[in-house]
Amino acid sequence: MGRLLGARNQDYEATKVALARRVRGAVVRRGAQVSLHELAREADVSIPTIKHYFGDRSGAVAEALRTVKEDAAQYTAGVADPGDKGFEASLRALATELAAAWVPHGVGQLFTAGMGAGLFDKAAGPGYLDGVLEPTVLAMEERLRVHARRGEARLDPTDELAVRTAALAFLSPLLVALIHQHGLSGIKCRPLPMAAFINELVERFTAAYGAKKALRASGRTKAE
């Protein structure tokens, strides 16, 4: 029996996802202002093909960014799981690993190009949230919940707003610092010693959110 009029081929979704990944590569390489023509050329397809699968440039960028969620699942699972590290050591390790991967592994280019493409774009913006930013924030929230359940963080793991606020409070200065240094070339005009910055961030965050036993374990008290 032939395909019904208007029905999609069985491999339509698989082809769309594969194409979205190629489009993502173009966004990362070319940056937020990549044109529809450049997307098609770098993905090695025609503009009508891009429009067929995604509707327009914004739709293509949105679906491209959504593919990050699946492809980076192993990384976000690592963000969510502190292992056996204590609160302060866990935060320091996470921040250090993100900073180390920012340039060499293209993490920064993905974050900055995706954010630039998504700002004020009603299609690409939600794609960036779905694929990149929200999975990172949610993973950070889960990491903090693990520490809270262990009694290492002064957070109620069932209080969604409190946990989300804490996750954003830790990630925001770290991401801004990395974007400042690399995405905006701040390293040339106002270099930031990243290791020292991470130590300062972690110490202040731990002082604010660390439970008393976690502070004692690190050799500090709340008054310090």
Side-chain angles (χ1 to χ4, degrees):
M1 179 177 175
R3 180 163 59 94
L4 296 176
L5 183 63
R8 292 172 172 173
N9 293 326
Q10 290 182 351
D11 65 349
Y12 177 90
E13 288 301 327
T15 301
K16 181 179 179 180
V17 171
L19 180 55
R21 287 190 171 100
R22 285 152 63 188
V23 169
R24 186 181 83 204
V27 173
V28 170
R29 287 190 298 273
R30 290 284 184 173
Q33 302 306 316
V34 61
S35 67
L36 179 61
H37 176 77
E38 289 171 328
L39 288 180
R41 184 180 62 200
E42 297 237 351
D44 197 26
V45 295
S46 66
I47 289 177
T49 297
I50 294 285
K51 291 182 175 181
H52 170 70
Y53 282 101
F54 307 113
D56 57 15
R57 174 194 173 278
S58 291
V61 171
E63 292 308 308
L65 294 172
R66 285 191 174 98
T67 64
V68 177
K69 181 176 181 179
E70 179 179 349
D71 293 348
Q74 184 175 355
Y75 170 74
T76 51
V79 173
D81 180 13
D84 59 1
K85 292 184 179 68
F87 190 43
E88 184 171 345
S90 162
L91 296 175
R92 182 171 283 104
L94 176 62
T96 300
E97 289 166 8
L98 178 59
W102 193 259
V103 174
H105 298 288
V107 175
Q109 186 68 6
L110 178 61
F111 266 85
T112 53
M115 183 181 294
L119 284 173
F120 307 111
D121 189 309
K122 292 182 179 179
Y128 178 72
L129 283 181
D130 292 344
V132 182
L133 191 55
E134 271 299 295
T136 305
V137 174
L138 288 168
M140 186 69 211
E141 290 175 23
E142 180 55 30
R143 193 183 193 95
L144 292 175
R145 285 193 182 94
V146 172
H147 288 299
R149 294 187 192 107
R150 292 177 182 172
E152 297 170 345
R154 289 187 291 114
L155 280 168
D156 178 353
T158 66
D159 187 335
E160 182 176 348
L161 178 58
V163 174
R164 184 179 185 184
T165 300
L168 290 171
F170 184 75
L171 288 174
S172 296
L174 180 58
L175 292 176
V176 168
L178 289 166
I179 291 170
H180 176 282
Q181 290 292 280
H182 302 290
L184 299 173
S185 300
I187 195 170
K188 295 179 180 179
C189 64
R190 197 179 183 196
L192 179 68
M194 193 57 61
F197 167 78
I198 288 172
N199 283 336
E200 182 77 8
L201 173 64
V202 169
E203 287 182 5
R204 291 186 177 274
F205 190 86
T206 305
Y209 283 100
K212 289 183 179 179
K213 73 173 187 178
L215 292 172
R216 286 196 299 269
S218 68
R220 295 197 306 277
T221 65
K222 185 177 180 181
E224 294 173 330

